[in-house]
Every structure is written in C-alpha cells, then in structure tokens.
Amino acid sequence: MRERKRPPVHPGRILKNHHLIPLSISITDLAGILGVSRKTVSKVINQRGAITPDMALRLSRAFNTTPNLWLGLQQEYDLWHATHESKEWRQVKTVKDLATITA
C-alpha cells in the first residue's frame, strides 16, 4: 500500500463543503437539527473537534449516510497525523523481537 504524502481532509471540512454550503445550512441550523450545541458543531466544522461515535450517528441520520463514513474519515485523519507528528511509536519493538531477546 502506498503511503499518503498529503494529509487527509478533516471530516469537518467535508461536512462544510459537501453538506452545509450546498444546502445553505448554517452552523446554528445544523446544531438544532443534530440536537447539540452550536459550539460543538463549530469545533468540528473549524477542524478543532473530532467526530465522535455519537456525532457520527447524528450526522448519518441527518444526511442519510452511514456512521462508518464519518468515523472512517476521522480515523484516517487521526491516524495520518499520529503517524507523521509523533516518532516515539517507531521505537516500539514487536513482541516477536522481544521474545528472541529474552530467550
């Protein structure tokens, strides 16, 4: 599998560009539809908050998608950033390697 060079798009940006703007829905309107605070929606839209399982369920109901779509977008975003922003995980040894060292 090829390594992705550019970071994936945050799910909040996808929500804004593919749903809110085309449908002329404001953040306040979406918050009311989803039954959450305006601040919660704003954080996601402005890429400062993550899509939680609860939010994924709400978005999937509101936009006739699947919760897995939203969670998958968030997971891809988070994993890419964890891979590229932290190097400590590279120092972890595999269990197999540890077994040969201690044997």
Side-chain angles (χ1 to χ4, degrees), residues 8-33:
V9 176
H10 189 278
R13 186 168 166 197
I14 293 171
L15 177 59
K16 179 180 178 182
N17 292 338
H18 292 269
H19 296 285
L20 297 188
I21 291 173
L23 297 172
S24 299
I25 299 173
S26 71
I27 290 174
T28 303
D29 292 339
L30 182 60
I33 291 165

Side-chain angles (χ1 to χ4, degrees), residues 51-64:
I51 301 289
T52 63
D54 179 67
M55 181 61 77
L57 288 167
R58 291 170 189 260
L59 290 170
S60 68
R61 174 71 58 99
F63 295 109
N64 197 28

